[in-house]
Amino acid sequence: MRRCCLMMCLKMSLSTLALDLLVRKRCWLLVALGALLSCGCHSVWALPQGAPETVCDTMLPFHAGGSVLPENSVSPFSIETSSSVVGQGQTLRIDVTGAPAGLSFGGFMIQARNRNPPYQIVGQFSPSRDGTVKLMNCENSVNNSATHSNAGPKPQVSIDWQSPVDFLGQVVFNATVAQSYNQFWVGIPSNPVQVVRRDVSSAAPLPTPSSPNNNNNNFNYASTRSPYVPPSYVAPNAVAASEDSFYDGCGQSKNCFGFPNGCVATKSCTSVSAVTVRGDIYEFELRSGKGTNAAYVALGLSDDAKMGEDLTTECVPENGRINLYSSYTSANPYSAVRANVPQNSARLLNASLVDGVIYCKVQREPLTVVQGRSFDLRNGAYHMLVASGSGLKENSVGYHDIGRLPSGSPINLAVVQDVGGSSQLLVRLHGAFMIAAWIGTTSLGIIFARYFKQTWVGSQTCGKDQWFAWHRMLMVTTWTLTVVAYILIWVELKRAVWHAHSITGLITVILCFIQPIGALFRPGPNDKKRPYFNWGHWLGGNLAHILAIVAIFFSVKLPKAELPEWMDWILVGFVVFHVLVHLIFSISGIASDRQQSQRINTFQMGDMTHHQQHAMRNGMSMERKMDAPYAALRKGLLGVYSVVLILFVVVLILLVALAPIEKLFE
C-alpha cells in the first residue's frame, strides 16, 4: 500500500510539473523530461541508490509486482564464499559474480540468514573499498544486509562479512540480483557456511580476503568452459560430505545408487549418487570414492541401460574448484557433448574437494530440452547411470575407467525406492566362456598337437589318431565358446568400445575364425605346400593363444569386469606353469628323438647281408607302430597338467562369475 501511494504521489508531481512547463511553453524541457522518464522505466534497477530497508523481508526490487515478476529459471549469477567454515567473529569474503566472466548486473541485495529456524539475519557486512556497496539495517540490526550504491553495470562485487560472536551453526547467503529492469532473480543461495568456535577454526586458518585482481591469491573467479553454470570454489579447509551422512535417508527420503552394485547397503561405493525430490525441486548429489583419483564423477539419465542419447550431470575439479557441466551423450561414435545442452538447466548448490574426494550437490530444472528431445523429470522414468574416470578431454569428460553402472530398471525419480544395478549376466558369461576357451581348451589342444603325435600309436577315435581327435575336439570347443562369448558381449554393449582389451580380443576372434577355414584347405601329407600350411597353422594358433591371454590380462583393469587386481598374479602363475610344462615336454621330445637315432650302424649298409637288411627294415616298420620313448613320462605329465589347468580355469571363472569377489569377504 505504501508503495502504491508513493508511486501515485510521484506520478501526480510529475504531471503537475509537466502541466506547469506546458503553460510556460517550455516544450523542449517537457520533451527532455519525457525522455528521461522513458529511460528510467527500463533502467537496471528502479532505485539507483540501492534497495530500501522496506524490502528486507521480501528482497524484491522496489518495482517488482504486477506485470514484473522474478525469473523462475536458473540464475546465471552465483554467490561464492571464500571458505565453507568460519570462526565466531571472523571475516569471510562474499563474491557476487556472473557466468560467463564479464556478465554484468546492475542491482543486488544480499544478507546472511540462519539455515535453521527461526531463519534470522545474522552477522554484519563491512563497507567496500571501492564504494560499490551500501549497507542496510534490517530487523533493527546494524549493517546486516547490503545492496548496491549505484545502478551502473558491474561484473562482480566483493563484500566482507563478519560472523556473529554469539552464533554457532550454518548460515546461507541469499541474494537478489537484477540484470535489467524486468529481469531479476530472487533468493539466489550460496553454499552453506559453518560458523564454529573461534578456537576450532584457528586450527585451520581461513584465507585472507584479498582483491580479485591479486594474482597471488588462491581464488578463481571464472570457468573457462561453462558458459552459464556458476562454479563453486573449494576452500583448502573445506569439509567433504561425510561417509555416513551421504547415505542418510537412502531408500527413505531419497534415491541412492552407486557402483559396485549393492554398495549403498554397505556404504562402500566407489562412486555414488543420490536424488532428492521436493515438489518441482530436483536435487542431485554426486560423490567419488576415496583413493580413486577421480577426475570427474557423473550421473546420466537414460531411457535404456546403455550409454548414448543421455542427459548427464558432470562435476569436475578444475583449478581448485568444482565446475558443473551438463552434456548430451552420443552412441556412435561415443562422445559427451556440452555445446548443445543449455548449461543453465542446472546449478551448483554445494561442492567440495577434500583428499581427492569429489562431492557436489546440483539442482536441475524439471524439464530440459536437448536437440528436440525432452527430459521430463516429473513424468518420465529413467535409468540412472553413475560413472567416474581418471581423465578429461578438451571439452568433455574422459572414459569412465574407474567405473560405470546403470540401474537395473528405469525409475521415476520422485518415487523413493531401493535402486539396484543392471544385470551383469552377459558380461560374466562372456568372461567365463573366454577363460574356458583360451586358458582351458586351447592350451590343452596345443599340447596334444605338439607332443603326442607319437603317443597312443595305433589307437584311434572315430577313425582318427588319438592326438588329432582330441586336438580337433578341443579346438572346435574353443571356436564355439569364442563365437558365443563374442555375440554375448555385442548384445550387452550394442556398440564398439575400443580399448586394449577389445582390440586384442577382436584380433584373437579373427584368427580363431581363420584357423578352421585354413584347416579345411590343408594340402595332403606329401604335397609340396604342406610345410607352408604347417608353419602358417602353427603361427596362427600360437599367435591367437598369446593374444587371447594378453586380452584376459587387459580385462582385469576394466571397470565393468569388477575383477580384483591380484587376479593378475593368478594369470602370471598360469603362464609360468604353462611355459614350464612346454619346456619339460620339449626336453623329453629331444631325448626321445636322440634315443631313436642312437641305433647307429656299426657297419655300412653295404656290408649287411640281404637277410640282415630285410630284418632291419621290418624292425623300423614295427618301431613306427610303437609309442616313441618316454611315452609314460608324457602321459603322466599330461595328467598333472590337465588337473592343474582345470584348477586354474575353475578359479578364474569363479572370480569372473562372483565379481566383485571382495564383497564375499566383507
Side-chain angles (χ1 to χ4, degrees):
M1 187 70 183
R2 183 188 302 174
R3 184 183 305 171
C4 294
C5 293
L6 288 173
M7 293 298 294
M8 291 178 62
C9 292
L10 179 61
K11 290 180 179 179
M12 291 176 62
S13 299
L14 291 175
S15 300
T16 304
L17 178 60
L19 181 62
D20 182 63
L21 290 173
L22 183 62
V23 172
R24 295 168 181 267
K25 299 187 183 298
R26 296 288 182 86
C27 295
W28 61 274
L29 285 176
L30 180 60
V31 172
L33 179 61
L36 179 62
L37 289 174
S38 176
C39 295
C41 289
H42 298 282
S43 62
V44 211
W45 194 263
L47 295 179
Q49 301 302 321
E53 294 177 358
T54 54
V55 299
C56 285
D57 292 333
T58 64
M59 297 187 71
L60 285 170
F62 189 73
H63 64 275
S67 60
V68 184
L69 298 175
E71 295 289 328
N72 58 8
S73 62
V74 176
S75 170
F77 303 98
S78 64
I79 314 302
E80 301 179 13
T81 61
S82 60
S83 178
S84 61
V85 181
V86 65
Q88 292 174 316
Q90 290 185 326
T91 300
L92 192 70
R93 194 187 67 206
I94 316 300
D95 295 325
V96 182
T97 62
L103 182 64
S104 298
F105 57 93
F108 74 92
M109 177 181 175
I110 187 170
Q111 52 190 212
R113 286 185 177 269
N114 186 353
R115 196 183 185 190
N116 300 306
Y119 310 112
Q120 76 276 18
I121 304 175
V122 296
Q124 290 184 334
F125 290 95
S126 302
S128 63
R129 290 182 287 273
D130 55 8
T132 59
V133 176
K134 174 186 174 183
L135 302 182
M136 302 171 61
N137 302 328
C138 293
E139 297 182 354
N140 298 320
S141 296
V142 179
N143 299 340
N144 60 0
S145 301
T147 185
H148 59 282
S149 60
N150 64 79
K154 48 187 76 68
Q156 176 177 311
V157 170
S158 296
I159 319 171
D160 290 342
W161 176 82
Q162 185 178 22
S163 64
V165 296
D166 57 351
F167 175 85
L168 290 174
Q170 285 189 322
V171 299
V172 174
F173 292 87
N174 290 280
T176 293
V177 179
Q179 190 174 9
S180 63
Y181 176 84
N182 57 359
Q183 189 175 27
F184 54 91
W185 289 262
V186 177
I188 304 172
S190 71
N191 295 333
V193 175
Q194 187 75 34
V195 180
V196 299
R197 295 195 310 272
R198 189 182 184 96
D199 55 345
V200 173
S201 66
S202 62
L206 295 171
T208 303
S210 56
S211 171
N213 298 323
N214 185 353
N215 294 328
N216 295 324
N217 63 45
N218 293 323
F219 308 104
N220 289 320
Y221 293 90
S223 167
T224 58
R225 292 190 285 172
S226 175
Y228 297 107
V229 180
S232 171
Y233 172 74
V234 183
N237 60 338
V239 179
S242 68
E243 293 290 333
D244 293 331
S245 63
F246 189 97
Y247 296 97
D248 290 347
C250 287
Q252 299 174 351
S253 60
K254 61 183 180 181
N255 288 313
C256 299
F257 179 62
F259 67 82
N261 193 18
C263 64
V264 173
T266 58
K267 301 182 179 180
S268 58
C269 294
T270 302
S271 291
V272 62
S273 65
V275 183
T276 304
V277 181
R278 297 189 299 273
D280 278 348
I281 299 176
Y282 289 79
E283 290 181 351
F284 296 79
E285 292 179 273
L286 298 174
R287 196 191 65 193
S288 65
K290 190 172 183 179
T292 59
N293 296 320
Y296 71 89
V297 59
L299 174 67
L301 300 177
S302 176
D303 289 332
D304 52 28
K306 315 297 180 185
M307 299 289 282
E309 300 182 351
D310 313 322
L311 177 64
T312 64
T313 302
E314 305 158 358
C315 294
V316 185
E318 293 174 311
N319 302 320
R321 67 201 299 169
I322 305 294
N323 284 343
L324 170 65
Y325 300 104
S326 294
S327 295
Y328 184 70
T329 61
S330 173
N332 293 307
Y334 174 77
S335 61
V337 181
R338 296 172 182 165
N340 299 323
V341 182
Q343 296 295 314
N344 59 351
S345 61
R347 64 187 177 110
L348 198 58
L349 301 179
N350 195 4
S352 66
L353 178 63
V354 179
D355 296 331
V357 177
I358 305 169
Y359 169 79
C360 66
K361 186 175 184 179
V362 179
Q363 180 178 329
R364 292 207 68 95
E365 291 288 326
L367 178 65
T368 303
V369 180
V370 184
Q371 298 182 358
R373 181 181 177 187
S374 298
F375 289 87
D376 187 354
L377 305 188
R378 297 187 190 95
N379 305 311
Y382 299 97
H383 287 268
M384 298 173 64
L385 283 79
V386 180
S388 61
S390 59
L392 300 173
K393 298 180 180 178
E394 183 177 356
N395 288 303
S396 68
V397 297
Y399 179 68
H400 42 79
D401 56 344
I402 294 176
R404 164 193 169 272
L405 184 66
S407 60
S409 59
I411 66 168
N412 186 302
L413 300 179
V415 179
V416 178
Q417 56 195 282
D418 292 327
V419 185
S422 62
S423 173
Q424 298 290 301
L425 177 61
L426 298 184
V427 176
R428 303 291 179 245
L429 289 175
H430 168 81
F433 287 174
M434 285 300 192
I435 287 174
W438 295 99
I439 299 291
T441 58
T442 302
S443 301
L444 198 56
I446 290 175
I447 292 289
F448 272 104
R450 186 172 300 176
Y451 304 111
F452 284 85
K453 292 180 180 179
Q454 293 299 316
T455 309
W456 293 298
V457 175
S459 176
Q460 293 186 336
T461 299
C462 298
K464 300 294 182 181
D465 291 342
Q466 290 289 351
W467 75 267
F468 184 79
W470 282 98
H471 173 75
R472 183 171 61 179
M473 182 189 69
L474 291 168
M475 290 309 180
V476 168
T477 304
T478 295
W479 189 90
T480 304
L481 290 173
T482 301
V483 171
V484 173
Y486 196 67
I487 293 173
L488 289 176
I489 203 63
W490 267 104
V491 172
E492 171 68 20
L493 299 178
K494 291 185 173 59
R495 61 183 177 86
V497 179
W498 299 114
H499 42 66
H501 172 75
S502 61
I503 293 172
T504 53
L506 178 60
I507 298 173
T508 300
V509 172
I510 293 173
L511 291 173
C512 181
F513 266 83
I514 292 175
Q515 285 296 95
I517 295 174
L520 291 176
F521 297 97
R522 66 180 179 272
N526 299 321
D527 194 295
K528 293 181 179 180
K529 297 180 181 178
R530 183 59 180 256
Y532 297 105
F533 166 80
N534 290 340
W535 279 106
H537 193 68
W538 174 87
L539 179 62
N542 281 278
L543 183 59
H545 192 211
I546 292 171
L547 288 176
I549 294 174
V550 171
I552 294 173
F553 269 102
F554 283 137
S555 71
V556 177
K557 305 300 181 184
L558 293 178
K560 198 174 185 68
E562 299 180 306
L563 298 173
E565 292 184 1
W566 45 266
M567 180 174 167
D568 281 337
W569 293 108
I570 298 178
L571 292 171
V572 169
F574 160 73
V575 171
V576 171
F577 171 71
H578 183 71
V579 171
L580 182 62
V581 170
H582 270 276
L583 183 61
I584 297 174
F585 272 124
S586 298
I587 293 174
S588 68
I590 293 172
S592 176
D593 293 341
R594 180 174 297 176
Q595 183 171 325
Q596 284 182 313
S597 65
Q598 281 179 348
R599 291 184 300 273
I600 303 172
N601 299 324
T602 57
F603 44 87
Q604 295 295 328
M605 196 75 168
D607 296 333
M608 299 176 68
T609 65
H610 177 76
H611 178 74
Q612 289 174 326
Q613 291 180 8
H614 181 72
M616 174 165 256
R617 291 192 188 99
N618 289 337
M620 294 176 65
S621 177
M622 290 294 294
E623 199 170 287
R624 282 193 294 267
K625 296 180 181 179
M626 297 174 58
D627 287 356
Y630 304 109
L633 174 63
R634 290 193 298 275
K635 293 175 183 177
L637 186 57
L638 176 64
V640 173
Y641 179 80
S642 300
V643 171
V644 176
L645 183 66
I646 290 173
L647 291 176
F648 271 114
V649 171
V650 169
V651 170
L652 291 172
I653 288 179
L654 286 176
L655 290 178
V656 170
L658 301 178
I661 196 70
E662 292 89 344
K663 291 179 62 177
L664 298 178
F665 303 100
E666 292 177 352

